[in-house]
């Protein structure tokens, strides 16, 4: 029988790549935590109607890219292509009574049945945030600022551009769309099939066109910002003022519309400057109308963003950002025989208590085989305990980098290793510092967020 292959275009994440992933999560979590955000995880599956009513019937995601199916209960479900609709749904169910706005972040897998290419995968991860429940242009500016902070924290300062635009409110967009469509009406001969369909269905999507003629025409086409009325203009101006105060440099891009239907007012993208089609490291915007579009009685002010984790990692690798390897094996403990094993096992545990990363030789392989393995796992030091050593409570300590070997009492050997690898290389963590054991049970009220029904 053949081993079943991986599902096409899905990826396993391990080794060095996983280390980048962990680092991303750490940087993002730190940034979110210090800005008052808490983490949310919404289900992988959402009802299809939630996505069609929010991300939008006309969006590429809904028309082409959904991993959707009917479950055994006959429900039409989707493996979430993005988290914004699910987070809003969860907010409306659980968080209306919380102090507003609520600041939520997520680090989640998402699924889009897309044509794969560099930077575009069928399962990918987003690091995202949503601020829901209060309207203030400060929040738009802060969301962009936080994105920039995360990129700088990943070693990407100076490699990206912040692009912003305003899409105003629905009424203003309607007017603009009529003007835009009439501008292109007598230029149809210059449009390809895709752009003709866009003109027909949603002319706003023409601003995403990759066609050189259309791009040229867009330079003289009507601009969304010319259709903004006083309130929308004021909002947009304030966002820009706050960005200036926060020291975030940005470019205004009148063609930036984003591919999701729920945006109003501010939209933005952080692009990597590579000129590739998939150059957006992340994007976001305001979506005050989403709650109503999924059935809530009123609009709910909200703003948010998401980064593509894989794209961030690729950008870091291109930039030459190399991570210090905290998983490096400091010590390989080699044993030769039963008596040696009885000493090697406690030494392995003791090494862990001293925050060294160690591996224990298993079974009964020869010294040569164990040495080879120690080399393969990249151990800096090898402790050898044979029958003679076990009797005398000593060991041989091999420094694999220097190619030296010395005899040592077992009691001193771990401190000798620590002195060489340095305490900076060790990761100190006491889980017990993060909890207390209390007699008072957790209240239903606090736990209700885990809704199981
Ligand atoms: P989005 O622009 O569709 O926005 O996705 C955000 C980011 O996810 C993109 O900029 C890109 O880096 C990454 N991404 C998207 N599709 C793929 C893919 N197939 N493979 C790899 N990476 C991908 C949203 O999803 C919105 N929910 C963002 C948001 C949150 N707006 C308001 N709140």
């Amino acid at each position: 029988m053949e081993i079943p292959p991986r599902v096409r275009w899905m990826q396993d994440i391990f080794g060095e790549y996983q280390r980048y992933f962990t680092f991303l999560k750490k940087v993002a979590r730190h940034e979110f935590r210090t800005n008052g955000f808490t983490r949310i995880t919404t289900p992988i599956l959402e009802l299809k109607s939630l996505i069609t009513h929010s991300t939008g019937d006309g969006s590429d995601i809904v028309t082409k890219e959904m991993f959707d199916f009917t479950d055994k209960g006959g429900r039409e479900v989707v493996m979430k292509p993005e988290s914004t609709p699910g987070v809003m749904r969860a907010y409306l169910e659980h968080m209306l009574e919380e102090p507003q706005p609520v600041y939520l972040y997520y680090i989640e897998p998402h699924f889009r049945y897309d044509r794969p290419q560099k930077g575009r995968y069928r399962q990918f991860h987003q690091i995202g945030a949503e601020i829901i429940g209060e309207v203030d242009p400060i929040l738009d500016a802060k969301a962009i600022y936080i994105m920039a902070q995360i990129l700088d924290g990943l070693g990407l300062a100076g490699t990206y551009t912040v692009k912003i635009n305003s899409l105003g409110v629905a009424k203003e967009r309607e007017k603009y769309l009529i003007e835009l469509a009439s501008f292109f009406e007598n230029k149809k001969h210059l449009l390809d099939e895709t752009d003709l369909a866009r003109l027909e269905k949603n002319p706003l999507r023409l601003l995403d066109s990759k066609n050189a003629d259309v791009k040229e025409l867009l330079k003289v086409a009507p601009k969304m910002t010319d259709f903004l009325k006083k309130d929308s203009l004021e909002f947009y101006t304030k966002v820009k003022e706050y960005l200036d105060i926060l020291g975030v440099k940005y470019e205004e891009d009148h063609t930036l519309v984003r591919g999701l239907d729920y945006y109003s007012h501010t939209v933005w993208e952080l692009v990597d400057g590579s000129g590739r089609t998939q150059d957006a490291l992340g994007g976001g915007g305001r979506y005050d109308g989403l709650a109503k579009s999924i059935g809530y009685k009123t609009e709910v002010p909200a703003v948010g963003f998401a980064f593509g984790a894989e794209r961030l990692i690729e950008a870091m690798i291109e930039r030459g950002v190399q991570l210090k390897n905290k998983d490096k094996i400091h010590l390989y403990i080699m044993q030769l025989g039963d008596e040696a094993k009885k000493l090697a096992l406690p030494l392995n545990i003791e090494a862990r208590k001293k925050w060294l990363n160690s591996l224990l030789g298993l079974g009964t392989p020869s010294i040569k085989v164990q040495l080879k393995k120690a080399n393969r796992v990249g151990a800096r030091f090898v402790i050898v305990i044979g029958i003679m050593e076990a009797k005398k409570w000593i060991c041989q300590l091999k420094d694999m980098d220097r190619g030296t070997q010395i005899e040592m009492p077992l009691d001193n050997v771990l401190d000798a290793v620590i002195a060489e690898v340095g305490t900076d290389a060790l990761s100190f963590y006491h889980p017990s510092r993060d909890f207390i054991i209390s007699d008072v049970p957790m209240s239903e009220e606090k736990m209700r967020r885990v809704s199981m029904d």
Side-chain angles (χ1 to χ4, degrees):
M1 197 175 80
E2 269 187 30
I3 299 168
R6 215 165 8 102
V7 172
R8 207 153 172 243
W9 306 119
M10 295 284 169
Q11 307 176 73
D12 299 315
I13 302 172
F14 60 99
E16 196 59 35
Y17 202 93
Q18 189 64 263
R19 264 190 281 283
Y20 278 85
F21 224 92
T22 307
F23 178 65
L24 280 190
K25 290 182 197 166
K26 203 164 148 187
V27 170
R29 196 181 57 196
H30 176 71
E31 193 56 38
F32 288 132
R33 191 178 272 162
T34 50
N35 279 290
F37 287 73
T38 57
R39 188 164 173 180
I40 182 167
T41 299
T42 53
I44 296 286
L45 292 185
E46 292 286 358
L47 289 181
K48 188 170 170 178
S49 55
L50 175 76
I51 307 296
T52 52
H53 290 146
S54 50
T55 312
D57 278 334
S59 66
D60 281 358
I61 293 182
V62 168
T63 51
K64 299 188 238 164
E65 299 168 4
M66 294 223 279
F67 270 91
D68 51 347
F69 58 95
T70 308
D71 75 4
K72 289 191 172 72
R75 292 170 209 93
E76 292 229 49
V77 292
V78 187
M79 290 169 73
K80 61 179 174 187
E82 55 147 341
S83 277
T84 309
V87 171
M88 179 56 90
R89 179 196 47 64
Y91 165 86
L92 293 172
E93 186 179 341
H94 309 287
M95 298 171 219
L96 287 164
E97 300 305 319
E98 309 255 319
Q100 306 288 315
V102 297
Y103 294 86
L104 301 166
Y105 78 96
Y106 46 87
I107 302 173
E108 292 278 299
H110 293 86
F111 305 85
R112 295 186 189 176
Y113 201 94
D114 216 343
R115 194 169 47 79
Q117 53 180 276
K118 190 172 165 58
R120 201 197 263 180
Y121 312 103
R122 289 197 174 164
Q123 176 174 340
F124 63 100
H125 296 77
Q126 279 187 354
I127 296 177
E130 315 292 350
I131 309 169
I132 312 179
E134 200 168 301
V135 66
D136 193 320
I138 277 195
L139 295 175
D140 307 47
K142 262 200 95 180
I144 299 171
Y145 172 74
I146 288 170
M147 286 186 90
Q149 287 291 108
I150 291 176
L151 290 185
D152 295 356
L154 297 175
L156 294 172
T159 67
Y160 61 91
T161 306
V162 178
K163 292 187 170 180
I164 63 168
N165 193 16
S166 172
L167 302 179
V169 294
K171 266 206 171 137
E172 292 158 345
R173 269 196 311 280
E174 266 165 38
K175 264 209 159 142
Y176 169 59
L177 285 186
I178 295 170
E179 289 293 319
L180 189 68
S182 79
F183 172 85
F184 276 103
E185 199 50 44
N186 58 1
K187 300 173 184 70
K188 276 181 171 169
H189 57 286
L190 294 170
L191 306 190
D192 60 20
E193 218 172 284
T194 316
D195 285 341
L196 278 172
R198 284 171 162 159
L199 180 61
E200 197 66 30
K201 268 197 184 156
N202 182 358
L204 209 56
R205 291 275 115 77
L206 280 171
L207 304 190
D208 279 337
S209 176
K210 304 284 174 268
N211 181 322
D213 286 339
V214 176
K215 278 186 167 178
E216 209 46 46
L217 285 171
L218 283 172
K219 288 185 185 158
V220 291
K223 293 183 173 58
M224 179 65 233
T225 37
D226 295 338
F227 291 76
L228 301 182
K229 292 242 163 65
K230 186 169 161 280
D231 286 355
S232 295
L233 259 183
E234 229 171 70
F235 193 90
Y236 189 38
T237 307
K238 282 199 174 134
V239 173
K240 290 186 281 184
E241 269 174 27
Y242 293 134
L243 284 174
D244 291 338
I245 290 173
L246 291 167
V248 177
K249 294 209 164 48
Y250 56 85
E251 280 177 14
E252 287 186 67
D253 181 348
H254 301 292
T255 65
L256 180 69
V257 285
R258 314 257 307 123
L260 310 124
D261 282 0
Y262 47 65
Y263 290 118
S264 57
H265 292 292
T266 334
V267 285
W268 63 85
E269 250 167 29
L270 274 62
V271 300
D272 68 9
S274 67
R276 277 194 298 261
T277 354
Q278 311 303 325
D279 67 348
L281 297 168
R286 178 159 284 284
Y287 52 95
D288 299 342
L290 194 154
K292 209 167 176 192
S293 73
I294 61 171
Y296 191 63
K297 55 183 189 282
T298 58
E299 290 206 336
V300 174
V303 66
F305 65 81
F307 282 116
E310 288 77 4
R311 291 195 193 169
L312 295 180
I313 293 175
E314 278 150 27
M316 287 170 74
I317 291 169
E318 265 171 37
R319 178 93 204 264
V321 178
Q322 289 194 8
L323 300 179
K324 293 184 183 161
N325 187 350
K326 292 248 175 186
D327 298 336
K328 202 169 158 50
I329 297 294
H330 305 122
L331 182 62
Y332 191 93
I333 304 171
M334 188 193 288
Q335 47 72 27
L336 300 162
D338 270 350
E339 288 313 307
K341 266 189 181 173
K342 287 179 195 162
L343 297 183
L345 178 59
L347 195 66
N348 178 217
I349 302 303
E350 193 56 29
R352 182 254 164 276
K353 285 188 184 154
K354 287 179 182 269
W355 291 283
L356 284 165
N357 300 343
S358 67
L359 277 178
L360 178 62
L362 304 169
T364 54
S366 68
I367 197 163
K368 202 170 142 202
V369 169
Q370 290 198 62
L371 255 185
K372 207 166 160 191
K373 199 178 245 178
N375 224 340
R376 286 283 306 273
V377 299
R380 166 77 202 277
F381 287 95
V382 175
I383 289 177
V384 185
I385 309 175
I387 302 166
M388 288 309 296
E389 283 84 5
K391 269 193 187 142
K392 293 204 253 171
W393 202 263
I394 56 165
C395 67
Q396 307 296 326
L397 178 64
K398 277 179 178 292
D399 182 330
M400 302 292 271
D401 280 3
R402 297 200 184 110
T404 55
Q405 176 170 329
I406 48 170
E407 195 171 283
M408 277 223 154
L410 270 177
D411 289 338
N412 302 350
V413 68
L414 295 179
D415 290 336
V417 171
I418 291 170
E420 283 295 326
V421 298
T423 41
D424 274 1
L426 311 180
S427 357
F428 302 94
Y429 180 57
H430 283 288
S432 60
R433 284 192 195 145
D434 286 345
F435 67 83
I436 53 158
I437 303 219
S438 162
D439 293 337
V440 187
M442 179 77 80
S443 70
E444 278 293 312
E445 169 67 14
K446 261 196 169 163
M447 286 302 283
R448 91 199 137 83
R449 276 159 223 216
V450 186
S451 38
M452 301 286 276
D453 48 24

